[in-house]
Each structure stands twice: as C-alpha cells, then as structure tokens.
Amino acid sequence: DAKTTQPPSMDCAEGRAANLPCNHSTISGNEYVYWYRQIHSQGPQYIIHGLKNNETNEMASLIITEDRKSSTLILPHATLRDTAVYYCIVFNAGNNRKLIWGLGTSLAVNP
Amino acid sequence: NAGVTQTPKFQVLKTGQSMTLQCAQDMNHEYMSWYRQDPGMGLRLIHYSVGAGITDQGEVPNGYNVSRSTTEDFPLRLLSAAPSQTSVYFCASSPVTGFGGYTFGSGTRLTVV
C-alpha cells in the first residue's frame, strides 16, 4: 500500500486559505488520494478525493500534481471550526477497501 | 438519516469482562469496519465486512470478534477485556463499490481497568 507523508502540524489565520501538503511518491496508477479530517476526537469526516484531476466541492479543493506524487488540500477561507487533524490517504479499492491511516496534520486556525 | 450510530459512547470495564460495542447504519452500505484509535497512533483496522455473512480480519484483530447477520448492524465483541484494549473505537461504513468516502460513527471510549 502506498504511504503518505504529511507535516505534523500547521497554523493558519482565520479567513485565509489553508494549504495542506501531502507526499505520496509511491502511489500506483489505480490508487486514489482521499482526505479526511477529525475534529477533537470525533469520528473522521470525509472531505474530498481525486485520481489525477483537480477536484473541488463545497468543503475544499484538491490539487494533485501531474506526476501524482503529491497533492495539496486547500481550505479557501479557513474558520476556527476547521481546526482539526487532516489525514491524506491513498486508497486502493481493490485492497478490500482498506484505508491505511497515518498521523495526519494538526491544523490550528487562529483568530 | 442517522448515518452510523455507535453505542455506548463511554464504557468502563474490568479486566476479564466481556462486552459488545454496537454499530448500526441506515445507508444500506455493504462495507462496514471497526477501527481503534490510540494516542500517537493512526486509526488501526480491527475487522471489516463487505456484506452480510462476510467478515475478515484487519491489522489488529486479536481479542475481538465480529459478525454480520444483517446489512445494517456490525457489532464488535470483546471476549475478555484487557487494559491494552483501552482505546477509542470507531465504526465506519461505505458502499462496497465506487469511490465514495467512508461515513464514521462518533466513537466509543472504552476504558479497561
């Protein structure tokens, strides 16, 4: 299974864009990049996923590099409620849908 | 839509006791799974199921049993609780095909003394 590398922590000012990087240099062609977040020990929440094209939904944007070895999750206007641990996961639907979780990035949004 | 419901939210057990953590979903998801989360570690997969009557082990299955008699329910049984099983347990579900994200329950905080 492809592994991911994320910075352990980041800060962001409220109202500014939060850009969370993820390295997944061993990703395979049929593996997707998923992002989840976990707010204060609640259950993880799905944010967005992508294969090779950039994706956007109501929560965030996902930018995947052309070689697919890294990606960036963008929260365009971070609020205090976005303070959470953000997990980048490489997902292979053929591997019995298992998700391999790392330690994620702890994002602190400051007023 | 309630999503994924876990009960109880908190539980304290004595070493050697058994108990069942309940998980129910109302989204008709075929795939269900149990994770545990410990401080300083990522979520670790305990058991999972791709449909009623089918279960399989994850990374840390020892000391836990599961069954899947219906699509909706996926209980996790601790056979003889040990302090090492003190953790936060999360249940998650998803469709078995396609690429939709998992839906997680709010968790059960278990302390074994």
Side-chain angles (χ1 to χ4, degrees):
Chain A
D1 294 324
K3 298 266 195 296
T4 62
T5 303
Q6 299 178 253
S9 63
M10 294 182 64
D11 287 294
C12 176
E14 189 177 20
R16 304 296 295 268
N19 296 280
L20 292 91
C22 180
N23 180 286
H24 32 79
S25 57
T26 60
I27 192 169
S28 299
N30 62 346
E31 291 179 324
Y32 282 68
V33 179
Y34 276 70
W35 284 82
Y36 287 79
R37 73 180 182 183
Q38 188 173 26
I39 297 174
H40 190 54
S41 298
Q42 297 176 18
Q45 177 189 22
Y46 164 78
I47 302 173
I48 198 168
H49 73 276
L51 182 63
K52 55 184 178 181
N53 298 320
N54 298 338
E55 303 287 346
T56 296
N57 63 20
E58 65 278 4
M59 290 182 69
S61 295
L62 174 61
I63 309 297
I64 302 174
T65 58
E66 192 168 344
D67 63 7
R68 302 212 321 125
K69 292 185 177 181
S70 65
S71 61
T72 301
L73 179 75
I74 301 171
L75 307 178
H77 305 287
T79 71
L80 299 179
R81 289 175 292 181
D82 292 321
T83 293
V85 178
Y86 287 77
Y87 297 95
C88 169
I89 299 169
V90 171
F91 175 64
N92 184 335
N95 187 22
N96 283 316
R97 302 188 71 80
K98 294 179 188 175
L99 296 178
I100 309 299
W101 298 77
L103 297 180
T105 295
S106 179
L107 174 68
V109 180
N110 303 309
Chain B
N1 245 356
V4 177
T5 302
Q6 290 186 237
T7 55
K9 294 192 184 303
F10 301 94
Q11 183 70 50
V12 178
L13 286 180
K14 293 183 179 178
T15 297
Q17 286 185 317
S18 62
M19 79 160 294
T20 299
L21 281 63
Q22 301 291 345
C23 176
Q25 53 92 9
D26 60 0
M27 299 170 284
N28 203 32
H29 285 168
E30 301 95 335
Y31 184 90
M32 298 185 73
S33 55
W34 277 101
Y35 290 86
R36 61 177 288 173
Q37 185 172 37
D38 302 297
M41 304 186 73
L43 280 79
R44 291 183 292 169
L45 182 64
I46 304 172
H47 285 286
Y48 65 97
S49 168
V50 297
I54 306 168
T55 64
D56 207 345
Q57 296 181 351
E59 330 168 46
V60 289
N62 292 340
Y64 307 95
N65 270 357
V66 292
S67 60
R68 185 91 180 272
S69 56
T70 67
T71 299
E72 294 77 21
D73 300 297
F74 191 44
L76 178 71
R77 280 182 284 278
L78 279 70
L79 308 172
S80 176
S84 60
Q85 294 178 304
T86 293
S87 188
V88 181
Y89 291 84
F90 290 102
C91 179
S93 74
S94 80
V96 76
T97 57
F99 298 97
Y102 286 25
T103 301
F104 281 80
S106 57
T108 295
R109 295 183 177 275
L110 175 68
T111 302
V112 182
V113 298

